[in-house]
Amino acid sequence: MEGHPHHHQLHHHHHYHHQHLQQQYQYHHQQQKQPTRSVSDDGDRFPQWSLQETKEFLMIRAELDRSFLETKRNKLLWEVISTRMREMGYNRSAEQCKCKWKNIFTRYKGCETMEEEAMRQQFPFYNELQSIFLARTQSKMLSEAEGGETGLKRKAVQLSSDEEEDIKEEKELEKSSVRKKKQRKSSGAAGSTSGNNTYSIKEILEDFMKQQTEMEMQWREEFEARENERRSKEMEWREKMEALENERLLMDRRWYEREEQRRIREEARAEKRDALVTALLNKVRREDHHM
């Protein structure tokens, strides 16, 4: 048996399914290092992407992710990202940014079936990509909740036009490799390989659906927690209002009682004054009568 095949030998018939994702990654990696669709000198003139530069790039891409999903032609958006990168001191063209995203997106998809520890060693930007796709899932759930369940028959996770284009290219590569394989092997073997690839895509979609279900459960738990907190605060507010009302009624009652006592004392003083005046008048009359 020969050693590990070179990545250009896509038609090699040993360990095909295991090498398929690796070949896809190498294909996109070549596209970034040798961007034939962009200005050919860019790949040679600029250094490789640093860890910090890539993180800054992913932050900008995450901010514009919703625009990428809503727009079919994303050329202008990549120009915006290129401009933002230049403002941060990174001289990257729009095509370089697009190829970088293509490479990262492919690597993210390849990490879906890996264990967490191995995945984080192979792909240090997994968390950034996962947060982008979880935000998409949450946004899709909210829009479906507002507009009914019409979106259930759509894709599990919404993809931008660039990402759909990448998947289409991968499928075309897959068909091309199957055609080459048919020249050497029987159609049954090729069909079996194609079935394995279809199953791999199915696993990825099922994993996205699982993430969507977990996000929905988390959203419901957070909603119930917020609702319970709102009810608790409302009850607390009502109790405070009732306490204030009771205090106001008590103060009114005390004021009324004080006013009543003041009126009684005033009436008592008036009666005493009247009695004193009457006694004085009677005394004067008696004195006048004796005189």
Side-chain angles (χ1 to χ4, degrees), residues 65-85:
D65 190 62
R66 184 161 188 172
S67 299
F68 273 92
L69 296 177
E70 295 173 351
T71 308
K72 290 297 181 184
R73 297 182 179 180
N74 295 331
K75 185 176 180 180
L76 181 60
L77 291 173
W78 289 118
E79 292 290 348
V80 171
I81 291 180
S82 175
T83 303
R84 293 274 297 276
M85 292 290 288

Side-chain angles (χ1 to χ4, degrees), residues 225-240:
R226 287 195 299 269
E227 185 65 15
N228 290 335
E229 184 179 0
R230 185 192 65 79
R231 288 199 192 99
S232 176
K233 287 184 177 180
E234 184 178 353
M235 289 179 63
E236 183 180 352
W237 177 79
R238 286 182 177 177
E239 289 174 357
K240 286 182 178 179

Side-chain angles (χ1 to χ4, degrees), residues 31 34 57 59-60 67 74-75 82 95 112 132 146 157 173 182 188-189 203 229 232 234 241 246 271 284 291:
Q31 291 294 318
Q34 302 170 1
F57 166 72
M59 286 177 61
I60 298 172
S67 299
N74 295 331
K75 185 176 180 180
S82 175
E95 188 66 21
E112 288 294 323
I132 290 175
E146 292 174 358
V157 173
L173 275 177
K182 279 183 178 179
E203 282 183 332
E229 184 179 0
S232 176
E234 184 178 353
M241 291 300 102
N246 292 335
E271 288 176 356
V284 170
M291 291 175 64

Side-chain angles (χ1 to χ4, degrees), residues 263-278:
R263 186 183 60 81
I264 293 172
R265 288 195 299 270
E266 186 64 28
E267 289 179 354
R269 283 196 294 268
E271 288 176 356
K272 287 181 179 179
R273 285 197 303 269
D274 290 344
L276 181 60
V277 169
T278 301

Side-chain angles (χ1 to χ4, degrees), residues 147-189:
E149 298 300 323
T150 56
L152 289 176
K153 294 183 180 180
R154 299 175 65 189
K155 298 173 191 168
V157 173
Q158 190 177 1
L159 299 175
S160 71
S161 58
D162 292 328
E163 293 156 4
E164 289 176 346
E165 183 181 328
D166 293 343
I167 292 176
K168 186 178 179 181
E169 286 181 4
E170 290 173 11
K171 288 183 178 179
E172 288 176 355
L173 275 177
E174 180 184 325
K175 289 179 182 178
S176 175
S177 64
V178 168
R179 281 196 297 270
K180 289 180 182 179
K181 194 165 185 176
K182 279 183 178 179
Q183 295 174 1
R184 298 187 172 209
K185 300 185 93 178
S186 66
S187 61

Side-chain angles (χ1 to χ4, degrees), residues 71-228:
T71 308
K72 290 297 181 184
R73 297 182 179 180
N74 295 331
K75 185 176 180 180
L76 181 60
L77 291 173
W78 289 118
E79 292 290 348
V80 171
I81 291 180
S82 175
T83 303
R84 293 274 297 276
M85 292 290 288
R86 285 192 174 95
E87 289 174 354
M88 301 177 74
Y90 304 111
N91 193 8
R92 298 292 181 181
S93 67
E95 188 66 21
Q96 283 179 316
C97 293
K98 180 179 177 181
C99 288
K100 185 63 175 177
W101 174 255
K102 187 177 183 179
N103 181 30
I104 293 175
F105 174 70
T106 303
R107 291 183 65 186
Y108 173 76
K109 283 174 49 181
C111 289
E112 288 294 323
T113 57
M114 296 175 64
E115 293 184 2
E116 186 174 355
E117 184 176 352
M119 170 267 295
R120 297 190 188 283
Q121 290 178 355
Q122 292 289 329
F123 188 36
F125 310 110
Y126 183 84
N127 290 339
E128 285 81 354
L129 268 292
Q130 190 179 43
S131 66
I132 290 175
F133 282 98
L134 288 178
R136 288 186 189 181
T137 302
Q138 190 173 19
S139 177
K140 185 170 181 286
M141 283 165 41
L142 290 174
S143 63
E144 288 176 0
E146 292 174 358
E149 298 300 323
T150 56
L152 289 176
K153 294 183 180 180
R154 299 175 65 189
K155 298 173 191 168
V157 173
Q158 190 177 1
L159 299 175
S160 71
S161 58
D162 292 328
E163 293 156 4
E164 289 176 346
E165 183 181 328
D166 293 343
I167 292 176
K168 186 178 179 181
E169 286 181 4
E170 290 173 11
K171 288 183 178 179
E172 288 176 355
L173 275 177
E174 180 184 325
K175 289 179 182 178
S176 175
S177 64
V178 168
R179 281 196 297 270
K180 289 180 182 179
K181 194 165 185 176
K182 279 183 178 179
Q183 295 174 1
R184 298 187 172 209
K185 300 185 93 178
S186 66
S187 61
S192 174
T193 304
S194 177
N196 288 338
N197 294 325
T198 304
Y199 181 71
S200 177
I201 296 172
K202 182 181 177 182
E203 282 183 332
I204 293 173
L205 291 176
E206 286 176 350
D207 188 63
F208 276 127
M209 286 298 295
K210 182 180 177 182
Q211 290 182 3
Q212 182 175 358
T213 303
E214 291 174 353
M215 283 292 297
E216 184 176 358
M217 290 177 62
Q218 181 181 354
W219 180 81
R220 288 183 180 276
E221 289 174 357
E222 291 175 352
F223 175 81
E224 290 176 358
R226 287 195 299 269
E227 185 65 15
N228 290 335

